[in-house]
């Protein structure tokens, strides 16, 4: 009987210990669950998986505008009231061979700071801060929804009418995605150029930035800005939020600049190395765990060699509330 009681007491003790271990007091107030994203608190030396990143973009990004064109003729089409696309005749290829069928043009316009976060990209490179007018992701598809190439000797034109920025000092950059992060490159004369012209869109003549290029996918209209001495800082989050499930952005409140920070596995933090001291920014931590969004943010002035703590909410945020937040940045 004593042995049976001893075993019973031991079992109860083990259960109590296990309960305390799983519910230990911390600033996070999170309990790891088996088979849940919350149970994985390890950081990666790369970035968030493409699968998770694409799930975020799919859920948040706005639907592209589309137009159907003929590959055999030159086409000028007004994509909306502010954007016009021109595609020359016989400019597209499919698997390296001239394509002669119908083309579907998909244009994703990134016009606000929140839109950059929705697409999980920076508006410029962190080591070369630039103010952005707008960014675009243009892709062309065959009638069978196959991705088309574009001949190097041809140029399409994308015009964007916007009077919120001065018409001078801006240049065209194209973007390439590597391990989930975008890198912006200044276009050379072989790739394309940017001009500022009067363009008639939907019957109205408007001043517009006009990109001429042979490179599809990401493009942006940027100009360099000088905002002060570069500062280094890092962002800490609750333990369940890692670079596997979270992206952190620095959103400049007085400039049209959004920078996605790099995750550092060694320090288990997100690091910025070139944000200007005294810049007024909002750090936004967007997390995606178990198919739900979590949000944390901090408004601050940048101070060099400073650690900032973001207390991400432990309650999922609805898509409508998240989009309202992003629209207000």
């Amino acid at each position: 009987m004593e042995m049976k009681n001893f075993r019973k007491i031991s079992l109860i003790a083990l259960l109590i210990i296990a309960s305390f271990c799983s519910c230990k007091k911390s600033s996070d107030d999170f309990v790891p669950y088996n088979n849940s994203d919350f149970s994985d608190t390890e950081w990666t030396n790369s970035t968030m998986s493409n699968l998770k990143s694409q799930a975020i973009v799919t859920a948040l990004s706005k639907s592209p505008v589309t137009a159907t064109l003929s590959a055999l003729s030159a086409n000028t089409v007004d994509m909306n009231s502010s954007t016009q696309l021109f595609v020359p005749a016989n400019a597209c290829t499919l698997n390296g061979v001239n394509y002669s069928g119908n083309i579907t043009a998909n244009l994703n316009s990134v016009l606000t700071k929140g839109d950059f976060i929705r697409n999980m990209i920076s508006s410029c490179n962190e080591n070369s801060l630039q103010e952005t007018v707008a960014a675009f992701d243009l892709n062309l598809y065959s009638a069978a929804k196959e991705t088309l190439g574009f001949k190097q000797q041809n140029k399409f034109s994308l015009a964007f009418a916007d009077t919120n920025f001065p018409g001078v000092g801006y240049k065209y950059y194209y973007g390439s995605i590597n391990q989930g992060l975008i890198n912006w490159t200044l276009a050379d004369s072989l790739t394309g150029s940017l001009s500022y012209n009067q363009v008639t869109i939907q019957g109205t003549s408007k001043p517009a930035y006009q990109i001429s290029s042979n490179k599809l996918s990401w493009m942006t209209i940027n100009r360099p800005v000088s905002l002060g001495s570069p500062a280094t800082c890092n962002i800490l989050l609750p333990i369940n939020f890692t670079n596997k499930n979270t992206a952190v952005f620095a959103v400049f409140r007085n400039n049209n600049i959004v920078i996605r920070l790099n995750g550092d596995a060694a320090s288990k933090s997100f690091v910025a190395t070139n944000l200007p001291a005294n810049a007024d920014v909002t750090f936004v931590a967007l997390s995606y765990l178990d198919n739900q969004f979590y949000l944390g943010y901090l408004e601050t002035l940048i101070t060099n060699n400073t650690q900032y703590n973001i207390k991400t909410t432990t309650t999922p945020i609805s898509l409508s509330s998240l989009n309202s937040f992003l629209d207000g940045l």
Side-chain angles (χ1 to χ4, degrees):
M1 179 66 70
E2 290 180 356
M3 179 60 69
K4 184 179 295 185
N5 288 337
F6 176 78
R7 290 176 177 172
K8 184 175 181 181
I9 293 171
S10 298
L11 178 59
I12 293 173
L14 287 172
L15 289 174
I16 293 173
I17 292 171
S19 175
F20 274 110
C21 288
S22 64
C23 301
K24 63 181 180 179
K25 179 67 176 176
S26 72
S27 60
D28 312 328
D29 291 327
F30 265 139
V31 179
Y33 298 96
N34 291 331
N35 302 318
S36 164
D37 287 341
F38 286 111
S39 65
D40 184 2
T41 59
E42 294 299 317
W43 286 58
T44 175
N45 288 319
S46 56
T47 58
M48 182 187 298
S49 71
N50 287 336
L51 188 65
K52 187 175 285 288
S53 182
Q54 189 55 50
I56 295 173
V57 173
T58 300
L60 291 179
S61 63
K62 298 173 182 177
S63 299
V65 292
T66 64
T68 301
L69 318 170
S70 170
L72 295 178
S73 60
N75 297 268
T76 298
V77 58
D78 296 336
M79 303 298 287
N80 52 41
S81 62
S82 61
T83 313
Q84 184 181 87
L85 174 66
F86 166 75
V87 178
N90 298 304
C92 293
T93 61
L94 178 59
N95 299 322
V97 178
N98 187 68
Y99 177 73
S100 59
N102 282 339
I103 298 170
T104 298
N106 273 27
L107 180 67
N108 176 20
S109 300
V110 180
L111 307 180
T112 69
K113 299 173 189 178
D115 286 346
F116 282 99
I117 295 177
R118 289 182 175 99
N119 286 277
M120 299 288 282
I121 61 172
S122 298
S123 63
C124 62
N125 299 331
E126 186 186 350
N127 61 1
S128 179
L129 293 181
Q130 298 172 331
E131 185 120 52
T132 299
V133 172
F136 303 93
D137 183 22
L138 173 65
N139 293 282
L140 305 179
Y141 298 97
S142 72
K145 299 183 179 179
E146 301 158 301
T147 301
L148 297 176
F150 201 85
K151 296 177 183 177
Q152 189 173 9
Q153 65 267 29
N154 292 108
K155 296 280 198 306
F156 64 82
S157 173
L158 183 67
F160 175 64
D162 191 316
T163 57
N164 292 320
F165 300 88
V168 296
Y170 289 89
K171 295 184 178 180
Y172 153 53
Y173 293 75
Y174 60 88
S176 54
I177 305 289
N178 182 26
Q179 293 188 342
L181 302 176
I182 196 165
N183 181 69
W184 295 104
T185 302
L186 177 63
D188 58 22
S189 58
L190 295 177
T191 303
S193 61
L194 179 72
S195 57
Y196 193 67
N197 308 303
Q198 286 292 128
V199 177
T200 300
I201 303 177
Q202 294 186 349
T204 303
S205 180
K206 304 176 181 182
Y209 300 91
Q210 196 161 12
I211 296 171
S212 176
S213 178
N214 56 22
K215 193 174 266 304
L216 295 170
S217 192
W218 283 105
M219 61 196 84
T220 191
I221 303 167
N222 282 5
R223 72 169 180 173
V225 291
S226 179
L227 299 176
S229 304
T232 297
C233 57
N234 64 318
I235 310 300
L236 290 181
L237 302 172
I239 190 172
N240 297 87
F241 301 110
T242 72
N243 62 339
K244 288 182 180 179
N245 56 47
T246 299
V248 174
F249 299 85
V251 181
F252 287 60
R253 300 181 70 186
N254 300 318
N255 302 90
N256 202 33
I257 301 173
V258 177
I259 299 296
R260 181 175 172 180
L261 275 57
N262 290 313
D264 178 60
S267 63
K268 294 188 175 182
S269 68
F270 291 86
V271 181
T273 58
N274 199 49
L275 300 184
N278 298 317
D280 191 357
V281 306
T282 300
F283 287 115
V284 177
L286 178 63
S287 303
Y288 190 66
L289 295 90
D290 297 337
N291 301 315
Q292 297 189 91
F293 285 101
Y294 297 81
L295 177 68
Y297 66 93
L298 175 69
E299 298 175 353
T300 187
L301 294 177
I302 296 296
T303 304
N304 194 27
N305 296 322
T306 300
Q307 174 181 293
Y308 299 98
N309 291 274
I310 296 180
K311 298 299 182 183
T312 295
T313 175
T314 60
T315 303
I317 186 170
S318 68
L319 273 178
S320 59
S321 295
L322 177 55
N323 280 314
S324 294
F325 171 83
L326 295 176
D327 288 338
L329 291 173

